[in-house]
Amino acid sequence: MTDMRTPKPLDIGQIEALLPQRYPFLMIDRVTDHEPGGWAKGYKCVSANEAYFAGHFPQKKVMPGALIIEALAQMGAIAILSAPEDQGKLALFSGIRQARFLRPVVPGDVLHLDCRITRRKGPVGLGTAVATVDGETVCDAELIFALQA
């Protein structure tokens, strides 16, 4: 059976309406689809012009793992904050479990981000997140968040 669902993309203006992060810390370029309160997926185009590449590392540019995790957390925040009852709240990063980094992310890569909310109790929840490049997993983790009004 074919999925008849219409994708729900978000452009940069819609992303900025949900997230408080701005340049140089906004790590999402586009949300390609999402289910409010459930999941979100999209991407970040990794450019050699990113400020962090000046020091990480000048001779062999590698996107810091902490920023890959941050990009995944921001995608999780999109999933949560797009739900009508949570719009206008702040999603705070509360923890990371089982994070694995499987290969470097370098300039020219398109980092595909997918975060699914798997559990929620009140303002606290858990998401499973995966980042891929060219279909290959580069990072996966469980992310814990807390919402603040």
Side-chain angles (χ1 to χ4, degrees):
M1 183 187 283
T2 310
D3 182 8
M4 301 302 286
R5 194 180 156 283
T6 302
K8 299 175 193 157
L10 300 175
D11 63 26
I12 194 65
Q14 293 166 308
I15 292 167
E16 288 181 340
L18 293 171
L19 297 181
Q21 290 89 345
R22 295 295 181 266
Y23 176 84
F25 216 69
L26 182 59
M27 298 287 154
I28 298 173
D29 290 325
R30 184 157 178 85
V31 174
T32 55
D33 198 4
H34 73 292
E35 189 61 49
W39 54 268
K41 57 185 171 179
Y43 59 84
K44 172 172 183 42
C45 297
V46 181
S47 167
N49 294 324
E50 307 281 353
Y52 50 81
F53 284 136
H56 200 272
F57 303 99
Q59 292 76 24
K60 181 159 176 59
K61 298 176 183 334
V62 176
M63 184 176 185
L67 294 182
I68 297 170
I69 292 288
E70 176 63 24
L72 288 166
Q74 288 180 21
M75 195 58 70
I78 291 288
I80 288 296
L81 299 176
S82 60
E85 63 273 17
D86 292 320
Q87 288 180 5
K89 294 180 181 175
L90 184 62
L92 299 173
F93 201 178
S94 299
I96 307 166
R97 288 194 258 184
Q98 305 293 322
R100 299 181 316 150
F101 300 94
L102 303 168
R103 86 152 178 83
V105 175
V106 299
D109 285 345
V110 176
L111 188 62
H112 290 270
L113 307 161
D114 186 335
C115 189
R116 299 179 182 276
I117 307 308
T118 56
R119 195 169 22 169
R120 179 154 175 204
K121 186 170 183 179
V124 178
L126 177 71
T128 57
V130 178
T132 62
V133 172
D134 295 329
E136 181 182 353
T137 299
V138 297
C139 175
D140 55 29
E142 290 182 334
L143 308 175
I144 304 164
F145 65 88
L147 292 179
Q148 189 176 56

